[in-house]
């Protein structure tokens, strides 16, 4: 940290966030001192790194023609956030869901879009079409811009906001840094379940047998292929078919013993980055930056569930252990000519492997505690996610006189051209997710476990899934800035196109236990080689009888162009606006991977000829945006003051997971989710009024009013499902509105302290048609909280060696899913999060950081009519990081 005077250090602040309580914000201690002394004190420019970075971010926010929040890497680092999801939780109007997905102004993740350097990116998350933000490490970030008001240069799929992730470029000089860290969660004080790791994909013998026996590996069908044209098969032929089927079952990896408890080792993380820029001649410079990081986090996160209809007798406990491995590799290259022409490349590889072991034990109508019979389900599930992103970006500024040409009028300063090409692939693999349903027999008096067994029927499942998304995006923008005696501004226009392809391919292998099967024991005992090799043991392999055989391919194509203007008169009145045209096409084609006859393909062709088909659709339209700003610097002793009024019209299209008629598991809360191909597009009208006060020395306050009118909003609702799992789906309501007030600010205090914070107070209304199965046809929007509060108390020591932040976040209860008659809506209850970050700088370039998350040890709870239906233990996490940088 730079050496500055003690008096100046007291004015350092860590974030341009928002003040919840800003009494006398226009009369800072520094301003009062000026008045009392009667002397004109020259404004002091603080050269501290955090203050300068925050000021640059603030200036960018002031310059935005449409309302937006900007957070820089220094604010992210000061708050101790290791990934982008945690960082965005500090932004006004944003709340974090499942530690991965950001809700903007009370609208779910489907109502927002995320881009990296303005390019669309696919998501490697099975349960969401939006990239999980905890996948983006803070180490590759430069800043994040959250646009809350729509402008024509943004995607028309805009609801709550657009999150543009801006990654680091090459450094201006030599850079080398090394980081090491370790951590621990209080939930890990007990041993965890045994996570299994990668057990391989669909076994080759089963894949080959599916081809050989045309998608049906049952003994009856195997006989038809092995002994064709022989009439009724002989006993010997039948036994041979059973033997072939059993050999296929034996090829499955059945090492699925999760019950063995094991001690949990501390988390670890490490990263290294190196880069430099070199001048090649007087006008040309090239630079590179390479970084690599890896981390592992292991945690117990037990979950308790009960039914709303009979909570005293229908409940279960889920013992859950997670091991998450993250790997990041990045390479950036840049070439700059005359500081006006820059071409750079960005390459990122992000891998996230989440290994889960889950032991569920409880009671339902078929397994009753009074009878001493307990439901038992063993689940082992590894999700291997990967995002590979390559980008080529160019920025050019052409001035009059370049190349001997004088073509621009005097009032035009330059012609700026920016362009990009992005190619991204996201993949998710479930190499061998297993689920075994069984039961425990208990002593009705003592509760002692007497016996464990596997159920009859389709009780053992092995799931294999491969999801691959590819997104190719390119575009350009031309901007012409101009300046006259009274006017300044720009006109701009651009074009963007993107293509997305998806393959979602899955198989499920079932081991079906008949009435004569030897089912006693733990799953590893029932499925051991000796039992499975015994042909008299009534167990059969089947790949048809399951919910997971739905596969599909999908494609999306989007073309868009826009024109926009931004004009300021006398540095006081600013008018901005634009119009975007967007053409969107989508097709989703279901696949039956077990159909070798071609019948499903023929049926698909017939369906496409039906005018009422739901396999694809096209949507095109014009989407306007306008903003009017009054700039009154000096108003109420401000350094900068702005009053903005904005309007925009956008759409929200159902994403592929919501639209495809496929059922999948959301591993966060262990729910089943099914898409709905009958969903239609939602349309939104946005209205914003925002006032911003920026005072000398860094104090600030912002107040915003917003209103959104939504036609056909998309809601998550409950559907009839199995006893052992909750089934959720999606449905269009008729209309919805959301409206509210945002307050944010920052206040500098004596002794190196500052306080910042933000609060959102809002409400929403939603109406379903009379034909809907919803219990409440008029309610709030799913995911909407009536309040969201973020506060931060920060400290910087006089000697610059100590910095600390205490951060608090809470959101009001929000609808998790809409209840189906006669059950009520389910609400996620407020989660009070209190985090502490302390950083010590013992030497130049060396820092030690201690982070404590969830100091209050809050639990995540979901309720229906005051009955807790889900409760998740999150624990308190302690992490220590040591960093050295050149």
């Amino acid at each position: 940290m730079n050496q500055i005077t003690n008096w100046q250090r007291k004015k350092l602040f860590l974030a341009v966030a928002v003040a919840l309580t800003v009494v006398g914000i226009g009369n800072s201690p520094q301003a009062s001192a000026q008045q009392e002394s009667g002397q004109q004190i020259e404004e002091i420019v603080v050269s501290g790194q955090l203050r300068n970075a925050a000021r640059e971010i603030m200036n960018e926010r002031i310059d935005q023609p449409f309302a937006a929040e900007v957070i820089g890497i220094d604010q992210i680092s000061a708050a101790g956030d290791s990934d982008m999801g945690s960082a965005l939780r500090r932004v006004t109007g944003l709340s974090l869901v499942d530690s991965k997905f950001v809700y903007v102004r009370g609208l779910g993740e489907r109502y927002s879009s995320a881009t990296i350097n303005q390019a669309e990116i696919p998501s490697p998350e099975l349960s969401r079409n939006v990239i999980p933000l905890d996948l983006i490490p803070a180490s590759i970030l430069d800043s994040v811009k959250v646009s809350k008001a729509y402008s024509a240069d943004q995607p028309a799929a805009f609801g709550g906001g657009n999150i543009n992730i801006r990654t680091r470029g090459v450094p201006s000089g030599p850079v080398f840094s090394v980081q090491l860290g370790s951590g621990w969660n209080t939930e890990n004080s007990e041993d965890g379940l045994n996570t299994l790791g990668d057990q391989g994909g669909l076994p080759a013998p089963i894949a080959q047998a599916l081809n050989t026996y045309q998608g049906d590996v049952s003994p009856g069908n195997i006989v038809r292929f092995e002994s064709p044209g022989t009439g009724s098969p002989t006993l010997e032929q039948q036994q041979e078919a059973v033997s072939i089927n059993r050999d296929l079952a034996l090829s499955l990896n059945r090492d699925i013993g999760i019950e063995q408890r094991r001690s949990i080792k501390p988390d670890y993380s490490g990263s290294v980055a190196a880069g430099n820029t070199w001048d090649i001649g007087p006008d040309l410079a090239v630079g590179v930056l390479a970084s690599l990081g890896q981390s592992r986090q292991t945690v117990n996160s037990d979950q308790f569930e009960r039914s709303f209809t009979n909570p005293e007798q229908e409940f279960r406990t889920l013992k859950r252990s997670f091991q998450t491995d993250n790997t990041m590799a990045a390479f950036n290259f840049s070439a700059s000519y005359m500081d006006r022409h820059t071409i750079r490349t960005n390459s990122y590889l992000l891998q996230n492997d989440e290994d889960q072991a889950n032991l569920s034990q409880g009671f339902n109508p078929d397994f009753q505690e009074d009878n001493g019979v307990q439901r038992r389900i063993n689940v082992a599930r590894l999700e291997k996610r990967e995002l590979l992103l390559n980008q080529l970006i160019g920025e050019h500024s052409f001035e009059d006189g370049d190349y001997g040409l004088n073509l621009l009028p005097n009032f035009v300063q330059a012609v700026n051209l920016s362009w990009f090409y992005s190619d991204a692939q996201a993949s998710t693999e479930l190499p061998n997710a297993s689920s075994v349903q069984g039961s425990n027999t208990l002593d009705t008096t003592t509760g002692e476990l007497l016996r464990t067994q596997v159920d009859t029927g389709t009780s053992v499942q092995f799931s294999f899934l491969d999801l691959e998304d590819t997104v190719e995006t390119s575009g350009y923008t031309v901007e012409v800035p101009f300046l006259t005696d009274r006017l300044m501004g720009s006109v701009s226009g651009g074009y963007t196109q993107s293509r997305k392809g998806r393959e979602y391919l899955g198989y499920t292998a079932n081991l079906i236990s008949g009435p004569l099967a030897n089912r006693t024991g733990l799953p590893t005992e029932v499925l051991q080689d000796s039992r499975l090799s015994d042909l008299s043991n009534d167990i059969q392999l089947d790949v048809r009888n399951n919910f997971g055989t739905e596969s599909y391919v999908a494609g999306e194509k989007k073309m868009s162009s826009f024109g926009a203007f931004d004009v300021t008169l006398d540095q006081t009145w600013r008018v901005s606006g634009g119009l975007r045209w967007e053409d969107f096409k989508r097709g989703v084609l279901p696949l039956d991977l077990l159909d070798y006859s071609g019948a499903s393909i023929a049926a698909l062709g017939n369906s496409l000829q039906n005018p009422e088909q739901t396999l694809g659709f096209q949507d095109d339209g014009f989407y306007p945006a306008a903003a009017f700003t009054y700039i009154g610097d000096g108003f109420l002793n401000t350094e900068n003051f702005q009053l903005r009024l904005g309007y925009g019209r956008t759409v929200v299209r159902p994403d592929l997971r919501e639209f495809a008629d496929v059922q999948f598991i959301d591993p966060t809360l262990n729910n089943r989710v099914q898409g709905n191909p009958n969903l239609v597009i939602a349309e939104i009208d946005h209205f914003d009024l925002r006032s911003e006060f920026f005072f000398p020395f860094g104090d600030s306050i912002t107040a915003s009013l917003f209103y959104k009118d939504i036609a056909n909003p998309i809601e998550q609702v409950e559907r009839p499902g199995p006893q052992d799992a909750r089934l959720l789906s999606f449905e269009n309501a008729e209309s919805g509105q959301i409206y509210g007030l945002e307050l944010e600010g920052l206040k500098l205090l004596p002794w190196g302290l500052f306080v910042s914070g933000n609060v959102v107070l809002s409400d929403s209304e939603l109406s379903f048609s009379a034909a809907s199965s919803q219990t409440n046809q008029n309610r709030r929007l799913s995911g909407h909280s009536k309040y969201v509060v973020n506060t931060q108390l920060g400290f910087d020591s006089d000697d610059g060696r100590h910095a600390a932040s205490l951060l608090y976040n809470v959101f009001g209860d929000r609808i998790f899913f809409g209840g189906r008659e006669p059950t009520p809506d389910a609400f996620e209850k407020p989660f009070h999060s209190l985090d502490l970050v302390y950083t010590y700088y013992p030497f130049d370039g060396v820092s030690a950081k201690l982070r404590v998350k969830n100091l209050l040890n809050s639990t995540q709870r979901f309720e229906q009519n005051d009955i807790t239906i889900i409760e998740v233990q999150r624990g308190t996490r302690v992490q220590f990081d040591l960093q050295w940088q050149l």
Side-chain angles (χ1 to χ4, degrees), residues 85 110 157 202 361 389 396 481 529 689 725 767:
R110 78 172 58 82
L202 182 71
Q361 298 182 114
L389 175 64
H396 310 275
D529 287 354
L689 179 63
S767 297

Side-chain angles (χ1 to χ4, degrees), residues 486-489 566-576 627-632 641-643:
R486 299 185 61 190
L487 292 175
M488 64 177 295
D566 179 25
V567 180
T568 302
L569 173 64
D570 294 333
Q571 298 184 355
T572 302
W573 306 99
R574 185 176 188 179
V575 180
S576 308
F628 177 80
T629 305
Y630 168 70
I631 305 170
F641 168 77
Q642 296 190 96
L643 180 67

Side-chain angles (χ1 to χ4, degrees), residues 94-117:
L94 272 62
S95 56
L96 193 64
V97 178
D98 298 336
S99 301
K100 300 178 180 181
F101 306 103
V102 169
Y103 281 26
V104 182
R105 287 180 168 174
L107 292 171
E109 79 279 351
R110 78 172 58 82
Y111 289 101
S112 299
S113 55
T115 56
I116 293 183
N117 300 318

Side-chain angles (χ1 to χ4, degrees), residues 122 154 316 339 458 486 526 584 618 698 819:
Q154 300 182 77
R316 63 175 179 168
D339 292 329
T458 310
R486 299 185 61 190
V526 175
F584 179 84
Q618 178 179 0

Side-chain angles (χ1 to χ4, degrees), residues 527-766:
L527 302 178
Q528 61 183 300
D529 287 354
S530 59
R531 289 199 196 180
L532 210 55
S533 300
D534 183 359
L535 297 185
S536 65
N537 195 6
D538 192 5
I539 298 178
Q540 178 177 309
L541 173 68
D542 182 74
V543 295
R544 295 168 300 169
N545 184 20
N546 56 80
F547 80 89
T549 55
E550 300 93 342
S551 301
Y552 66 95
V553 293
E556 293 180 349
K557 183 178 181 180
K558 182 169 63 179
M559 295 183 295
S560 58
S561 58
F562 78 93
F565 66 90
D566 179 25
V567 180
T568 302
L569 173 64
D570 294 333
Q571 298 184 355
T572 302
W573 306 99
R574 185 176 188 179
V575 180
S576 308
L579 185 66
R580 185 180 188 88
W581 170 81
E582 204 163 274
D583 180 70
F584 179 84
K585 299 181 178 69
R586 170 187 287 168
V588 179
L589 303 180
L591 297 178
D592 184 352
L593 299 181
L594 303 181
D595 175 29
Y596 287 75
S597 68
S600 62
I601 301 298
L604 189 61
N606 294 332
S607 298
L608 289 171
Q609 303 302 317
N610 185 348
E612 303 298 325
Q613 59 86 22
T614 58
L615 299 174
F617 66 85
Q618 178 179 0
D619 171 61
D620 64 88
F622 291 93
Y623 306 97
F628 177 80
T629 305
Y630 168 70
I631 305 170
D633 295 347
F635 177 66
L636 295 179
N637 297 321
T638 58
E639 186 177 87
N640 301 100
F641 168 77
Q642 296 190 96
L643 180 67
R644 308 168 186 256
L645 175 64
Y647 167 77
R649 183 172 179 81
T650 64
V651 297
V652 175
R653 306 178 181 101
D655 63 43
L656 283 174
R657 73 182 181 93
E658 296 171 336
F659 189 75
D661 191 14
V662 171
Q663 200 173 115
F664 58 89
I665 298 292
D666 184 345
T668 304
L669 294 172
N670 213 45
N671 294 315
R672 291 188 184 184
V673 184
Q674 182 160 10
N676 178 6
N678 296 308
L679 291 175
V680 299
I681 293 171
E683 298 180 336
I684 307 180
D685 287 300
H686 309 256
F687 300 88
D688 288 89
L689 179 63
R690 181 181 179 112
S691 59
E692 298 173 299
F693 302 80
F694 297 96
F695 297 92
F697 306 105
D699 291 354
S700 66
I701 186 170
T702 299
S704 304
L705 295 171
F706 62 90
Y707 173 79
K708 299 177 185 289
D709 186 36
I710 311 173
N712 305 314
I714 301 169
E715 287 288 293
Q716 184 167 268
V717 298
E718 188 177 25
R719 291 279 184 259
Q723 292 180 347
D724 296 314
R726 183 175 291 104
L727 178 61
L728 304 178
S729 188
F730 309 94
E731 185 176 324
N732 283 106
E734 287 188 329
S735 62
Q737 298 84 37
I738 183 170
Y739 44 87
L741 167 69
E742 292 180 343
L743 295 172
E744 52 181 310
L746 178 141
K747 176 66 177 177
L748 302 179
L749 302 172
W751 309 298
L753 298 172
F754 73 89
V755 61
S756 67
N758 59 72
V759 61
V760 181
L761 305 174
S762 62
D763 206 349
S764 63
E765 300 173 4
L766 191 72

